[in-house]
Amino acid sequence: MIGHRLAVWRWNRSYTTAVANADVVVCGGGISGTSIAYHLAKRGKKVALVEKDSLQVIAQASLDLYSHLAKTCKFRYVKCGRTYLASSMANEILLRRMYSRGVVHNDKVELLDCQSEMLERWPFLQTEDVQLALYSPEDVALDPVALCQHLALIAKDHGALIYESNPVLEVHIGDEKQVYGVSTKMGFIETSHFVDAAGIWAGSHLVKALPHQHIQTAAYPCTYSYIHTSKLPTGSVSDMTPIFNDLDGNIMLRTTSFKTLCAGFAEESVRPLARQTGSAAPWQHPEPDWNIFDPNLEKLISRCPMLGDCNHGDLIVGMEAYTPDKLPTIGESSQAKGYWVMCGMNGQGLSLAGGLGKILGELMCESQSSTADVARVDVGRFIDLHANNQYLIGRTPEVAALTYSNLYHSHQCHTARNLRMAPIYHQLRDAGAIFGEIMGYERPLWFEKTPKSERNALMSGQDSLVGKPEWFERVASEYEACRERVGLMDMSSFSKYDITGEDAVEYLQFLCSANVDEPIGTTVYTGMQHQKGGYVTDCTLSRLGDKKFFMVAPTIQQERVLVWMKKWQSILKARVHVQDVTGAYTALDLIGPSSRYLMGDITGLSMSSNDFPTFRCQEINIGMATGIRAISVTHCGELGWVIYIPNEVAQNVYEKILEAGKEYSLQHAGYYTLRQLRIEKFYVYWGQDINATVTPVECGRLFRVDFKKDFIGKKALEEQVERGVNKRFVQLLVDGHDKETDPWPQGGETILKDGRPVGLTTSAAYGFTLGCQVCIGYVENKEFGVSPEFVSSGHFEIDIAGKRFTCRLNVHSPSLPMISSEHPLHYRPTQ
Amino acid sequence: MLKRKFFHEFRRHNRSSRWNADAHLRAHERSANVEDDAIMRVDTCQLAANNPIEDFYSAAKCISSRAFLFGVFDGHGGQQCSRHISTNLYPYLCASVLKKHEIGNYPPDQRLEWLFSSSDGHLPNAFKSRETRNIAAYHKEFKKNPNTYTGTVREALKLAFETCDKDLGDNALPNAKGVIDRHAAMVAASGSCCTLAHIRSRHLHVANLGDAAAVLGVVNPNGSVTARQLSRAHCVDNADEVQRIRIAHPASESQTVLRGGRLLGELFPLRAFGDVRYKWPLDLQKVVLEPLGHPPPQHLYTPPYLSTSPEVFYHKLTPNDRFLVLATDGLWEWLDPDTVVRLVHDHTLGTITQQAYVPKSGTTLQQVREQLKERARGEQKTKKPIDENCATHIIRHALGGVSGGATKQYERLIDILQVPPGRARNYRDDITVIVIHFNETFLDGHEEDEE
């Protein structure tokens, strides 16, 4: 052993003096680090990978769930498959949804609903209460250590240099916060790019010039525990026995012909790690605790009674970095240029790292990824609060407990809540609000009819996947108010920016695809495109002054858009000042035909369609309060205004509106109502429907693009207009759906044309006016493009959890009849 | 039949030796319900390793400032000094009440109200009168000096400590007739560490001299408890102390002033009462101490080497502060502050502190589950800890270990307690523990206090 180490050391020595610079320095020899090194090296970059231990040591230290499979050093890949077990209705639907997705990808997935058949296949399981099992034979078990070494080997073949036993001591940043080098134990390496893929140690490297002396990342390590014991005493297990995931018990079981691994993810058995002292101290490795593992053991033995006869084996505590939303984080940190992170794998490093390495490689080399939409894994989706340790300590154990759960859009965590709140939070709560969290902000999802004062007003968990969700009746009533009378909605979570400065107009003209050089008092809906034409974001820009704009963007864009705008500001050397004012205003959306009269009453101004038409903005007073920005855009296609009230006067204005609103039967409405309204009107949202991979041509918003001026991505869009598109957003009206008993669409359902899969839905709602389920989705035809005929002909269906429903397709917004009052003729979200 | 009898005998023996161990541990335990201001109850316990014991403790109340004073005194080189200090320090402390804290007009010798002490407060009359004179002189001095009288508690405590030590040394000097008081010389030649808590309303000061320690138990919102150390040991492990001593003496002495982790190669604590051998100049020692059999230490070039100025920490008590543990170094070499605090906390909740479960080899997973269930049941059943007294509870766990259950613990205890005092000093030091439980409702209440 000693001799071997010496050899490694010598081998390292020979390189020490050879390299003093590299294009990229990658820190971390785990699966993430080797994956990114591999992808970059393949692209011809000069990569140096530094690892604090030797890869050999990692091989012993990171023996996680899968590593027990292989004792041999060569790369091992077992196609054993995986079986998911569901014993509740909710998880049964979840499996059916997985199955219908799996079929699209040509997986040979199987559904089993007969208990005796399950028992026959897997006689060591107790299957009496299992409603449904899904068997996916394609799933593989592999040895991550061998995989790391294999990847490292290939990377080395491509010229990457690998330094083992060489911890990173410091990352140096210089002018304009640009990385210029990395100090390691073996010496200084000059580089302009540093990739932090150090797993649970990500973000702990010393960066002296930063306020906290290290990069803030939204990932925090928690424990996960599993038992490693002997083979089950039965002849019916082999290396090809699938891995079992019991969704209701939240347990995992892997049995092979020589050992058994069983893990459990009960929330109470997950612990966030603690540091000894100081923020840069090493993590304390917690001791295994049988007491807290007991709930898992109970579930494991009841699922597999034979396990009870096995020797106690070893209880092993592993450590893994988790993020607040169970998705990894990759990309360039906004705190230092050239400092890239790839961390927070949430226990799925093995299945994700390979692909993420590729995406990060694309981002680093081409600045845009063509493989996939990165918005959901991008570092830019987090703001400061997500990197706060206390927030992470609260949230991550819950995330770790959800390792094997599928989360839908409606999912809400129960930890780390009530962080960002509007000044009128308590009034809204008393009015019956049920809150959902987005970017730490609590926004009302719907309002209960008779709220009890001692209730828990925070939604947790997710909407039921089958049958009417609990909020259905309430949202129906709120919807009606917004369509026929007037509804009041808290929209404060939306990102808001003030853009001012000498070059504001020219700067925004170049960033936005629509013409924003309109008279003062005009609001423009526009996209910001990247070079390939995709949406960096969409937003509304209101011109408040000659060189002053007020921008409103989706909530989740708070950090990302700011980074994008700052980046172009420095490239263009534009004399503009961009200020994030999200936290300074409370936004109330007054929606509905009566909003005109209500606005008139509270402002004392004329709100007629001549005096304050739609897509206008104006600074107004309400009662005694001043400095309120009123914009006649409701974000859902109805008539109305969003008023941005400075926080200090928000309560006053809110009370005033409620008082005045009595006359018009004003009703509170929540975010769910907004969703039903906008989806029914075919109004696509960034982050849910469209993202950086979608262009205005594809989502029917070409009419908002002004080709008469120059802007980022113009060329790409022109080419696309010339060539036609392969992808097109459509609205689907679902026929024959029984809302009481059928599974509900959630987004992510397969769209079929004449029985062949052609696309996916992206979001879904119930159309109260149309009287059916409405989805937004895209259809694709990679070979021949999506022509009007492609959409208008053929028989379209969607598959919701294995059940198919006939659909009618809309390419344009439908016209929705109203029972009362005036019709908002102005609005055509998509054309 | 024989087997049965043997078994019986064995059980009886077992029981009696357990009883013995319990009796031994509890012999010097004491509990006082104070229920005054911030203080609810005080538990103390003491276990001797030296014969006679060199540890002392005292608790008193200063009537003039309504401050409570708790101290543990760890003697070395004999018990005289710690015994002396454990009673004679208190009048000095009572005489140094700040002007703003004075209630009523008590003369300096009528301000002290003893709660309890492990030594006898009774002094021979000859001493008594001298002490009274000293105190009166000190009190006058204290009041005259505007810096101290209107200063801070910290300064007052320091002055009291220093004056007390100075008078202790002066007592040992030959009187006008050239006669040396033998007893006073013994007091001055031996030494004592001291940790003293001064609690006035919700203001806690801890004055520390030497290697005893004070630890505060703070309950977190999530119910767990953390230890906050309110003193720093004055020994070579403390870099600041080493620095302080090195700077105070010429560079030529750098090799001798601290040797083998000890002051002048002899004394472990770096601050202490008494120990005039490290304070007096060589010629004085030759006159007073050498005839009594106390030769001066080697390399005594620039005395004093030993300081009597205490390090004072201040902490304002909050409702989260549940108890304060004062203990001599005899305890801290067995247990760390975190464990002590956990033990006290669990004791107040009435539960036994258990260590983590580890399955024995050969156990099946099913059995693991049963054992875990068994443990959970057992925890409910044997909820009551063996000792009423919290301080005894700590010492039991210090010597018997925190792990392994009651049987194992008794085994170790019996083993260690059968060594008689005197010989035991080779295995352990004297242990003294004071646990002060705070009154949560008082600390939670309104603050009508000045300051």
Side-chain angles (χ1 to χ4, degrees), chain A residues 290 294 298 301 308 310 312, chain B residues 357 359-360 363-366 369:
Chain A
W290 286 87
D294 190 44
E298 182 185 355
I301 292 180
C310 285
H312 67 77
Chain B
Y357 167 82
K360 290 196 184 70
T363 336
T364 66
L365 284 170
Q366 188 59 50
R369 285 225 62 223

Side-chain angles (χ1 to χ4, degrees), chain A residues 122-184:
Chain A
W122 307 300
F124 44 89
L125 290 187
Q126 188 282 111
T127 57
E128 225 164 78
D129 60 331
V130 178
Q131 301 289 323
L132 192 71
L134 180 140
Y135 172 56
S136 153
E138 298 289 314
D139 230 305
V140 298
L142 41 77
D143 174 11
V145 177
L147 177 62
C148 288
Q149 286 174 337
H150 200 70
L151 282 170
L153 217 64
I154 306 176
K156 218 150 68 183
D157 286 347
H158 283 90
L161 298 167
I162 293 170
Y163 300 88
E164 299 177 67
S165 317
N166 186 16
V168 167
L169 302 176
E170 189 185 342
V171 181
H172 301 274
I173 59 176
D175 291 349
E176 308 219 319
K177 297 200 167 174
Q178 168 69 49
V179 171
Y180 67 85
V182 178
S183 284
T184 70

Side-chain angles (χ1 to χ4, degrees), chain B residues 49-50 333-334 416 419-430:
Chain B
N50 291 300
E333 56 198 42
W334 292 92
I416 206 156
V419 186
R423 234 182 41 211
R425 60 171 300 167
N426 300 322
Y427 306 97
R428 57 188 165 86
D429 198 357
D430 296 328

Side-chain angles (χ1 to χ4, degrees), chain A residues 790-809:
Chain A
F790 183 85
V791 180
S792 59
S793 66
H795 176 64
F796 283 93
E797 288 173 307
I798 71 166
D799 183 323
I800 310 171
K803 210 167 169 180
R804 292 194 181 178
F805 299 90
T806 304
C807 299
R808 287 166 283 146
L809 257 59

Side-chain angles (χ1 to χ4, degrees), chain A residues 643-661:
Chain A
I643 49 176
Y644 297 87
I645 316 159
N647 275 341
E648 52 199 8
V649 292
Q651 301 210 20
N652 180 300
V653 172
Y654 170 80
E655 278 159 20
K656 177 110 189 157
I657 293 172
L658 277 202
E659 189 57 41

Side-chain angles (χ1 to χ4, degrees), chain A residues 70-121:
Chain A
K71 276 274 184 272
T72 55
C73 242
K74 72 173 201 278
F75 183 50
R76 193 180 154 121
Y77 181 93
V78 184
K79 215 167 166 182
C80 60
R82 191 184 285 267
T83 301
Y84 297 89
L85 305 171
S87 36
S88 68
M89 188 62 169
N91 283 321
E92 188 187 329
I93 296 296
L94 209 124
L95 287 190
R96 290 197 187 279
R97 292 178 62 93
M98 278 169 72
Y99 177 73
S100 79
R101 284 293 296 275
V103 170
V104 180
H105 294 102
N106 285 327
D107 285 351
K108 298 184 208 87
V109 285
E110 257 183 277
L111 275 184
L112 284 85
D113 55 2
C114 169
Q115 280 96 359
S116 51
E117 196 189 333
M118 296 178 211
L119 199 63
E120 194 191 317
R121 279 210 202 181

